[in-house]
Amino acid sequence: MITYISSLMLPCLVLFIVAYGLYKKVDIYNVFVDGAKEAFDMLPTLFTCILGMILGINLFLESNILGYFLDAINPVLKSFQIPAEIIPMAIMRPISGGSTLALLNNLFETYGPDSYIGRIGSVIQGSTETTFYVLTLYFGSVGIKKIRHALWVGLLVDLIGIISGIVIVGLFFN
Amino acid sequence: MVKKLMVNKIWGFFIIVGITVCVITGNLDKVNYEILNSTKVSLELIIKIFPVVALWLGIMNIAKVAGLLDLLANAISPFLRKLFPEIPKGHESLGFIASNIVINMFGLGSAATPFGLKAMQSLQKLNQKKDTASRSMITFLIINTSGVTLIPTTVISMRMMYESAHPTEIVGACIVATSISMICAVLIDYFVARRKVK
């Protein structure tokens, strides 16, 4: 039902905007083309920022520092009853959307979507955003270099979201 | 000067640590592959995202010319005006921010991105120092990244793919979690911004 509604959203939005434009006697086709052209203005900054970030992230992932880090903090996690299996996903969530999905995929494959770990993974995926990506993309598109407190507040909020996700899954499903 | 280095530090850290560790652990092949592969990956990403951006900028332009964005912005502007005290009343950026938030709520992340980019562009017009993020930009970004989602479309479809008994059972938990992080985001941003002004 909810998926049906959300798959209706996009077509309805397009339908509504075009119909409303016609109703308001807007020159809709030319206005559409003019608007779409603006994408080319964004292209140079957009591409170079993505290129830079992907280079950095992939090199970092390749070093497997994350794996060593997990081994080191495992005892702490056990005492808080946080399943270590979800930590890579929690760490990757703000950095890379693609690798988070890949990690969630692994969790579903190993533990199933209706397991405790599967549910925590689902809630983390559904309630947080790829902070690094959004930051790079949005600030990059207008050439902002001094980002002030945006990054650490964004990451702190992600952490709050992830912790509340774990707590809430515990409360809702136990 | 120090703040400017934030992104540089992270990016530099990723690259230096990544390469150094790979060299020490003898993963030279992987490093060589990854350096060149990242160009391919980013081009693929651009190819995926660019047409969507163009499409939505086109559709959005119709909404803008027809006056729809103004209507939407007016509807939620009392709420937005409190969050963005720096934006003058009736400024176009409020409409873009409103659309971005509304579309994000329905789990259409990629459709929301063009609105977000447009919002940043128009916030940049108001910005005094062009290379420094303004308070409104940061507030917008933090609200955006705190993930205001009512219908997490991606997770639901993935749960269905793995034959979950109740693919949508996590929606309630997601809404509670995003609400908590969203409220924290607004509060933290509010207090940090206020302290910085003083």
Side-chain angles (χ1 to χ4, degrees), chain B residues 6 23 32 40 70 83 139 146 152-153 157 160 168 172 186 189 198:
Chain B
M6 190 62 185
V23 169
N32 279 303
K40 201 182 97 195
D70 300 336
L83 287 176
T139 307
S146 70
T153 42
S157 47
M160 288 170 100
T168 53
V186 171
D189 174 65
K198 275 177 187 170

Side-chain angles (χ1 to χ4, degrees), chain A residues 31 38 52 114 119 135 146, chain B residues 11 61 118 141 164-165 169:
Chain A
V31 168
E38 287 176 32
D114 296 329
R119 281 172 179 150
L135 218 78
K146 299 178 195 173
Chain B
W11 195 61
N61 206 26
K118 205 67 195 159
L141 219 90
S164 160
E169 67 176 3

Side-chain angles (χ1 to χ4, degrees), chain A residues 7-84:
Chain A
S7 59
L8 261 181
M9 263 295 291
L10 208 62
C12 282
L13 192 68
V14 176
L15 178 78
F16 177 69
I17 290 174
V18 171
Y20 190 83
L22 262 184
Y23 166 71
K24 285 274 168 184
K25 299 198 169 59
V26 173
D27 182 12
I28 47 172
Y29 183 69
N30 283 322
V31 168
F32 171 83
V33 172
D34 279 345
K37 266 183 208 159
E38 287 176 32
F40 284 92
D41 301 337
M42 296 177 180
L43 193 55
T45 10
L46 204 62
F47 175 66
T48 42
C49 284
I50 289 177
L51 178 66
M53 262 307 151
I54 286 184
L55 176 71
I57 288 168
N58 282 4
L59 282 173
F60 184 68
L61 287 182
E62 206 52 68
S63 73
N64 197 30
I65 288 273
L66 221 51
Y68 303 133
F69 175 70
L70 272 186
D71 293 342
I73 62 164
N74 206 18
V76 184
L77 294 174
K78 275 209 176 113
S79 61
F80 281 98
Q81 294 186 319
I82 299 170

Side-chain angles (χ1 to χ4, degrees), chain A:
Chain A
M1 183 62 190
I2 287 177
T3 0
Y4 180 70
I5 292 173
S6 60
S7 59
L8 261 181
M9 263 295 291
L10 208 62
C12 282
L13 192 68
V14 176
L15 178 78
F16 177 69
I17 290 174
V18 171
Y20 190 83
L22 262 184
Y23 166 71
K24 285 274 168 184
K25 299 198 169 59
V26 173
D27 182 12
I28 47 172
Y29 183 69
N30 283 322
V31 168
F32 171 83
V33 172
D34 279 345
K37 266 183 208 159
E38 287 176 32
F40 284 92
D41 301 337
M42 296 177 180
L43 193 55
T45 10
L46 204 62
F47 175 66
T48 42
C49 284
I50 289 177
L51 178 66
M53 262 307 151
I54 286 184
L55 176 71
I57 288 168
N58 282 4
L59 282 173
F60 184 68
L61 287 182
E62 206 52 68
S63 73
N64 197 30
I65 288 273
L66 221 51
Y68 303 133
F69 175 70
L70 272 186
D71 293 342
I73 62 164
N74 206 18
V76 184
L77 294 174
K78 275 209 176 113
S79 61
F80 281 98
Q81 294 186 319
I82 299 170
E85 291 85 346
I86 60 129
I87 298 299
M89 188 181 158
I91 294 175
M92 285 318 294
R93 183 66 190 124
I95 302 173
S96 154
S99 42
T100 318
L101 273 185
L103 289 166
L104 182 64
N105 209 52
N106 290 342
L107 290 184
F108 281 177
E109 220 165 59
T110 323
Y111 307 97
D114 296 329
S115 64
Y116 181 53
I117 291 169
R119 281 172 179 150
I120 292 179
S122 307
V123 175
I124 291 176
Q125 171 70 36
S127 62
T128 48
E129 258 285 350
T130 326
T131 302
F132 270 95
Y133 170 75
V134 175
L135 218 78
T136 321
L137 193 70
Y138 282 20
F139 281 152
S141 71
V142 290
I144 295 285
K145 288 185 186 70
K146 299 178 195 173
I147 62 170
R148 297 167 63 201
H149 57 283
L151 182 70
W152 71 260
V153 177
L155 290 179
L156 181 64
V157 168
D158 280 334
L159 183 67
I160 294 171
I162 289 167
I163 292 172
S164 34
I166 296 173
V167 173
I168 288 160
V169 170
L171 290 176
F172 273 36
F173 296 102
N174 280 342

Side-chain angles (χ1 to χ4, degrees), chain B:
Chain B
M1 195 61 202
V2 177
K3 299 251 161 58
K4 182 185 183 178
L5 297 173
M6 190 62 185
V7 132
N8 297 345
K9 271 183 196 155
I10 294 165
W11 195 61
F13 174 80
F14 278 170
I15 290 181
I16 292 166
V17 168
I19 294 180
T20 317
V21 172
C22 282
V23 169
I24 292 171
T25 54
N27 275 336
L28 269 180
D29 292 345
K30 277 189 182 166
V31 174
N32 279 303
Y33 171 77
E34 212 51 70
I35 288 174
L36 292 175
N37 190 46
S38 61
T39 58
K40 201 182 97 195
V41 174
S42 43
L43 186 62
E44 281 166 358
L45 195 61
I46 276 288
I47 288 172
K48 263 189 228 157
I49 195 180
F50 182 71
V52 184
V53 171
L55 173 76
W56 280 101
L57 286 176
I59 295 287
M60 196 180 51
N61 206 26
I62 299 176
K64 189 174 123 194
V65 174
L68 264 178
L69 289 187
D70 300 336
L71 281 179
L72 195 63
N74 283 336
I76 64 167
S77 70
F79 170 69
L80 284 185
R81 199 123 19 92
K82 285 217 172 60
L83 287 176
F84 299 96
E86 280 179 350
I87 301 176
K89 199 181 169 183
H91 189 259
E92 54 164 11
S93 59
L94 286 172
F96 296 129
I97 294 174
S99 325
N100 177 273
I101 293 176
V102 170
I103 296 173
N104 252 330
M105 280 184 185
F106 288 91
L108 306 167
S110 52
T113 306
F115 290 83
L117 293 175
K118 205 67 195 159
M120 286 308 274
Q121 270 187 354
S122 91
L123 287 177
Q124 178 74 325
K125 282 180 208 154
L126 293 174
N127 193 2
Q128 307 284 324
K129 282 183 255 162
K130 295 297 177 199
D131 65 338
T132 309
S134 68
R135 183 184 162 185
S136 315
M137 286 177 171
I138 297 176
T139 307
F140 172 55
L141 219 90
I142 289 170
I143 290 177
N144 198 300
T145 59
S146 70
V148 235
T149 315
L150 297 180
I151 307 170
T153 42
T154 324
V155 192
I156 295 173
S157 47
M158 270 185 70
R159 290 173 64 83
M160 288 170 100
M161 214 163 75
Y162 279 96
E163 290 164 359
S164 160
H166 306 283
T168 53
E169 67 176 3
I170 44 83
V171 170
C174 285
I175 292 176
V176 177
T178 46
S179 308
I180 293 174
S181 62
M182 162 89 173
I183 292 166
C184 292
V186 171
L187 290 178
I188 295 170
D189 174 65
Y190 179 75
F191 285 112
V192 172
R194 233 176 48 154
R195 210 191 57 205
K196 294 256 161 101
V197 169
K198 275 177 187 170

